Every structure is written in structure tokens, then in C-alpha cells.
Amino acid sequence: MQERINKLIKLMAEFTMPGIALNPGPTLNYLTGLNFHLMERPTVLLITAGGQTALVLPALETGKLADIPIKIEAFTYSDDPETRPEAFFRAADYLRLGSTDLGVEATRMRYLEMMYLGDVLGEAGFLDASACLAGLRMTKDETEIKKMHQAAIIAQDALLETLKGIKAGMTEKEVANQLIIQLLRAGSGPELSFSPIVAFGENSANPHSTPSDRRLKEGDLLLVDWGASYEGYLSDITRTFTFGEVDPELLKIGEIVLRANQAGRAAGRAGIEAGSVDRASRAVIEEAGYGEAFTHRTGHGLGMEAHEEPYIFENNALVLEPGMTFTVEPGIYLAGKGGVRIEDNVVVTETGLETLTDLPRQVLPLESFMGL
């Protein structure tokens, strides 16, 4: 854990970030091994450019600090909200924050914590530390990658079990609920990557469809986007199936998306721009005449969060490095008819992309999995 904090301190120096404030989430967990829920009681980890750390937290959470392998000074408060400001002031005095600007995660820090921190910072304020923190977790070590691989295995096993029980007339909600049960049975942690997307027929043309009471019927595509967690690391996979005889154009776009997925995974390696992966996938779809129907980026980083750096979009000049992990998930979406997405999880190596997911990628008949 201390190595991770040292890495953050180096990044803070590069970005001239005098201090960092983190509330509960993957980054705090990555640095300390501590898990806290976002709730009405504020919890904030403070780290200075000199490497000093302080943690403001409710007194009832102090038992979690007993076995952490790093030194963190704790400042607690009771369930009386009136005791919170004092804990923040004591932490600020300990760190000699004075009027130190604090960097925060723009997508995670809440007004609640910023309100208490603002009271102790005086003339100082808050900085967007997103760029600084992006480099902290983007490159995974061997242990992290093994956990991500296991999360992929769990997710794939759970889907195969779910597919066995799908029948005509089932709703998207029913299938999604069964998938959640199977994910937990297969060994996923209770906090999934996200709520599974299960979309039938025309609903599969919505990339972020929400499971509904739409029932499965002959001629439908079935798109499933799901993931598992394993020891804090996630998977995120999408596969598309047919049910009965479907429109030939839907089979056609399935073949195109498969080629786009293969092209994206073949294009990536250390030393090239992240945008090159997007361009390789996108070129296949554009050449087939469906460019306007590919409405999102080719992928996103994956690790302790389902969406993190690096983001795989056309103009991203970020140079890929060994250990970076992300998704490759091209798609074609035809409004009113259906859509196909094929998503894999990959890790960058010196010579290419290693794929952590290995379920068949073709758009296969659902019937071949049912009742097995």
C-alpha cells in the first residue's frame, strides 16, 4: 500500500497538486485497502504532497483501521452532526493545510464533504485532480490482472447458466434477475460491475437499455451486457444472440460487428495511441456502410471501476502501456429493429492485446444454449 501512496505523491509532484482529498470509492480503497460506503456520515482521506495522511471518519468505522499496513492518523466524530466540523479542523491542523488547495475526483467528491473541507481551507479551494489520479490505477500489475480474469470467468459461467433457463415469453426483467442470481452463485462479489442490461428485439438498438417487461418472442435479438466483481476488480462483457428466425439484416450487422471487434483487438499494443484501437474497429463498420449506426466509442478502461481511464475514442492520443486494461465493444444499432454489440476485456502487452474473455463472439442462436 505504501508503494501506491508513493506513486500518488510522484504524480502530485508532476501535476503540482499540493493536496488530495478522497471520499469513499475505488481510489481510496486502492491506496489504503479500506472500504467505506458513501452515506450521510462524511468520510475523507487527506494526503499532502509531503506524504502525510489523515482520515476523517465516523467513530463507528474506526475498527476498520486495526489491520491496515500503512500509517494513517484518524480524526473521528460522533453521530451528532455538530461534532463533524471539529474533526475536520483537527485533521487540517495535523496536516498544516493552512490555505492549501485540495485536488478532488470530479466525478466522485460530493458537496457534503466539500462543505466541511471548505470551512477549514480559508482562502484556498478545490482543484480537479482527475488527470493526476488517472495515472494512479490505469496500469495494472499481475495480481490485479489475475483478479480481472477471474471476474471474467465468473461472469461467463453465470451467463451460460442463465441461458439454459431462458424461454419464450420471459421478460427482460426476469432474465436480468436470473443473471444476477447466477452471478452471485458463480462467485461474484455482491457489488456487481453494474445492473445487467438485457434487451430483446427493438430494445437492443438502445446501447444502454434498461430491462423492462418486454417479452421474448420469435425473431428477436437478445443483447446481454453484464459483469462480475472479484476481490474488488470487475469484468464487463456483451454478447448478442438470436431467438428464432431473425431479419437477415440483423445477421449481417452481427457479422460486421464481429469483424470490427476482431480488428480492434488486433490493432492494440503498447506504444500506439488509444485512438488507434477505435479507428480500427470503426473503419470496419464505416466501410460496411453503417458508420452512423455506431453511436459510441469503441471502449473504456476497466478495473476497480466499470468505466475508468483509458477511454478508447477516435482522437485519444494517450499512448498505451503494458498493463492497461479496457474493453473493445463495437456495435451497430438500427432503431426499431435491433442492435448488436460484442464486448471483450483486454490487457495491453508489448506485442498486442491479451483478451481476458473467451465466450464465443458470433451472434449465435439462443436455442443452442437453452435446456443444456
Side-chain angles (χ1 to χ4, degrees), residues 127-155:
L127 306 171
D128 182 1
S130 301
C132 173
L133 294 169
L136 184 64
R137 293 188 285 117
M138 200 178 336
T139 301
K140 276 68 172 181
D141 62 28
E142 186 176 341
T143 298
E144 291 176 288
I145 292 168
K146 285 182 178 178
K147 291 178 180 180
M148 292 181 65
H149 189 201
Q150 185 60 32
I153 291 171
I154 290 168

Side-chain angles (χ1 to χ4, degrees), residues 340-361:
V340 174
R341 181 165 65 254
I342 301 170
E343 176 181 19
D344 285 291
N345 303 166
V346 301
V347 56
V348 178
T349 70
E350 291 288 357
T351 57
L353 295 180
E354 177 188 349
T355 305
L356 303 178
T357 41
D358 60 5
L359 274 183
R361 297 176 183 88

Side-chain angles (χ1 to χ4, degrees), residues 138-140 269-272 318-326 347-350:
M138 200 178 336
T139 301
K140 276 68 172 181
R269 66 180 184 281
I272 70 165
L318 175 76
V319 176
L320 297 178
E321 298 178 13
M324 289 182 175
T325 50
F326 55 87
V347 56
V348 178
T349 70
E350 291 288 357

Side-chain angles (χ1 to χ4, degrees), residues 162 165-181 198 200 211-216:
T162 302
I166 296 178
K167 297 178 177 61
M170 290 183 72
T171 68
E172 294 171 339
K173 287 180 180 178
E174 288 170 337
V175 174
N177 290 339
Q178 284 301 312
L179 179 53
I180 291 170
I181 292 169
V198 175
F200 300 160
S212 70
D213 292 321
R214 167 57 158 88
R215 296 186 181 277
L216 182 65

Side-chain angles (χ1 to χ4, degrees), residues 7-320:
K7 181 179 180 181
L8 174 60
I9 292 166
K10 288 181 181 179
L11 288 167
M12 291 169 69
E14 290 178 20
F15 286 86
T16 60
M17 194 70 60
I20 294 282
L22 300 170
N23 56 354
T27 304
L28 191 156
N29 174 254
Y30 179 83
L31 291 169
T32 67
L34 294 168
N35 277 303
F36 300 102
H37 294 291
L38 277 174
M39 55 179 174
E40 75 281 5
R41 302 178 180 99
T43 297
V44 180
L45 176 68
L46 298 165
I47 303 173
T48 67
Q52 282 188 298
T53 58
L55 183 66
V56 179
L57 75 167
L60 63 87
E61 297 275 26
T62 53
K64 294 180 178 180
L65 306 182
D67 299 319
I68 59 172
I70 55 176
K71 175 177 169 50
I72 298 179
E73 197 71 23
F75 298 88
T76 65
Y77 58 86
S78 73
D79 272 349
D80 181 354
E82 296 297 324
T83 64
R84 297 174 186 172
E86 181 189 359
F88 278 88
F89 273 101
R90 285 189 289 117
D93 288 342
Y94 170 76
L95 295 176
R96 299 179 182 176
L97 289 183
S99 57
T100 303
D101 290 330
L102 290 176
V104 299
E105 291 181 290
T107 59
R108 187 163 293 273
M109 181 58 73
R110 303 183 303 179
Y111 178 77
L112 175 66
E113 287 83 2
M114 292 177 72
M115 177 180 66
Y116 288 111
L117 288 169
D119 288 341
V120 305
L121 291 180
E123 297 297 318
F126 299 99
L127 306 171
D128 182 1
S130 301
C132 173
L133 294 169
L136 184 64
R137 293 188 285 117
M138 200 178 336
T139 301
K140 276 68 172 181
D141 62 28
E142 186 176 341
T143 298
E144 291 176 288
I145 292 168
K146 285 182 178 178
K147 291 178 180 180
M148 292 181 65
H149 189 201
Q150 185 60 32
I153 291 171
I154 290 168
Q156 294 181 154
D157 288 347
L159 181 70
L160 290 173
E161 285 301 314
T162 302
L163 295 178
K164 293 177 184 179
I166 296 178
K167 297 178 177 61
M170 290 183 72
T171 68
E172 294 171 339
K173 287 180 180 178
E174 288 170 337
V175 174
N177 290 339
Q178 284 301 312
L179 179 53
I180 291 170
I181 292 169
Q182 294 299 340
L183 283 164
L184 298 175
R185 284 179 174 168
S188 175
E191 294 190 6
L192 303 177
S193 307
F194 49 88
S195 296
I197 295 172
V198 175
F200 300 160
E202 69 285 351
N203 290 346
S204 61
N206 178 357
H208 282 172
S209 180
T210 300
S212 70
D213 292 321
R214 167 57 158 88
R215 296 186 181 277
L216 182 65
K217 65 178 190 289
E218 177 84 11
D220 279 345
L221 285 181
L222 165 61
L223 184 149
V224 184
D225 187 343
W226 82 109
S229 67
Y230 180 75
E231 295 186 0
Y233 288 81
L234 308 177
S235 55
D236 180 2
I237 313 169
T238 306
R239 292 293 186 265
T240 309
F241 307 90
T242 62
F243 186 61
E245 204 170 318
V246 303
D247 186 314
E249 186 177 19
L250 297 177
L251 297 177
K252 176 184 175 183
I253 65 172
E255 293 171 356
I256 296 166
V257 172
L258 176 61
R259 295 202 308 272
N261 172 284
Q262 292 167 337
R265 289 186 296 114
R269 66 180 184 281
I272 70 165
E273 293 183 356
S276 298
V277 177
D278 180 277
R279 291 192 290 272
S281 284
R282 197 167 299 278
V284 173
I285 294 174
E286 288 179 344
E287 288 169 10
Y290 288 93
E292 292 185 0
F294 182 11
T295 54
H296 54 75
R297 63 196 173 203
T298 292
H300 54 80
L302 182 67
M304 297 182 80
E305 294 181 276
H307 285 203
E308 59 183 46
E309 297 278 359
Y311 294 104
I312 311 302
F313 60 94
E314 186 173 8
N315 297 318
N316 189 354
L318 175 76
V319 176
L320 297 178

